[in-house]
Amino acid sequence: MVDKKSLCPEQIEMLDEHLPYRLQLLDGLCWACSVLDSSLGNSSLSLSLSGAQVNFPDARPLTNALAESGILYCRVLLNFLGIHHNNGKFTEYNPREDDFTIANLGLQIVTTDKLKSDPPTGNPDDIERACLNMLRSANKAVAHFTTADARACCNDAACCAKTVMWLIEKYVYRKLGREVPAYKIWTNQ
């Protein structure tokens, strides 16, 4: 366990602001997947912001934005934890000098064995497949315009997002002895 008093302002900012924000987007991805997998995805959507009403014929403007940002942040947070992929296989993330990773918090990187070790988010083979698919999808279908067949499916996206949230809770916040922030604003789970 890292001594809480030894955390610098940059580390505290990451734990209190940046990670919770990104976790909210993963929670939003889970919500979007549940909406897209249900008949609600075809329902009209109405948003009210400071009294201004915006109406959409269906939920896709919101679900698609949440899905794409969530997929990207699955990749960002897996890299933060130390997990990368190359040619369809997990590899250890090799951060650049200015990348902030779990090691910057004084914690050990999360190995792929930990990724698949008893998570409450599914069986290990499904989790591995889902996370590899999300890493590929983030690279090929979201971050770049490409003709590669790398589209994400809701089951893989939700499985990966739930797994990443669990990993961050277990291997970052709990390892540091910190309370997990209340980031589940979309699913309230």
Side-chain angles (χ1 to χ4, degrees):
M1 183 177 296
V2 175
D3 179 14
K4 291 183 223 179
K5 294 176 186 171
S6 67
L7 294 175
C8 72
E10 179 183 63
Q11 293 167 317
I12 292 169
E13 180 181 340
M14 185 61 67
L15 292 165
D16 291 349
E17 295 176 35
H18 298 289
L19 282 174
Y21 166 73
R22 284 151 178 88
L23 290 169
Q24 284 178 355
L25 290 169
L26 295 192
D27 185 51
L29 170 59
C30 292
W31 177 83
C33 288
S34 68
V35 169
L36 291 168
D37 272 347
S38 71
S39 61
L40 294 175
N42 297 323
S43 301
S44 63
L45 174 69
S46 180
L47 297 174
S48 179
L49 300 169
S50 298
Q53 194 76 18
V54 181
N55 298 306
F56 300 96
D58 60 49
R60 285 180 295 193
L62 181 58
T63 57
N64 291 0
L66 285 170
E68 288 195 359
S69 60
I71 289 167
L72 285 172
Y73 279 114
C74 280
R75 178 181 120 182
V76 168
L77 292 176
L78 282 168
N79 288 173
F80 163 78
L81 290 167
I83 297 171
H84 188 63
H85 84 103
N86 188 18
N87 293 324
K89 298 207 182 309
F90 286 122
T91 61
E92 184 177 322
Y93 181 63
N94 186 18
R96 295 185 178 125
E97 185 178 316
D98 60 346
D99 286 350
F100 193 96
T101 69
I102 192 171
N104 294 95
L105 294 169
L107 300 170
Q108 292 184 345
I109 65 163
V110 175
T111 63
T112 55
D113 288 340
K114 288 179 184 175
L115 172 83
K116 301 185 300 181
S117 67
D118 198 29
T121 56
N123 79 51
D125 291 337
D126 288 343
I127 290 168
E128 179 175 15
R129 180 187 43 71
C131 289
L132 281 169
N133 285 344
M134 286 307 92
L135 286 167
R136 184 168 191 273
S137 182
N139 289 346
K140 291 292 186 184
V142 179
H144 303 97
F145 280 125
T146 180
T147 58
D149 183 22
R151 295 190 68 177
C153 73
C154 285
N155 288 341
D156 284 348
C159 178
C160 182
K162 289 174 186 177
T163 300
V164 173
M165 291 185 292
W166 174 78
L167 290 168
I168 296 285
E169 288 178 16
K170 180 175 182 175
Y171 292 106
V172 177
Y173 288 101
R174 291 196 180 105
K175 285 283 185 189
L176 291 172
R178 293 176 64 94
E179 187 173 328
V180 175
Y183 65 86
K184 293 189 177 182
I185 62 171
W186 295 94
T187 62
N188 294 318
Q189 297 174 2

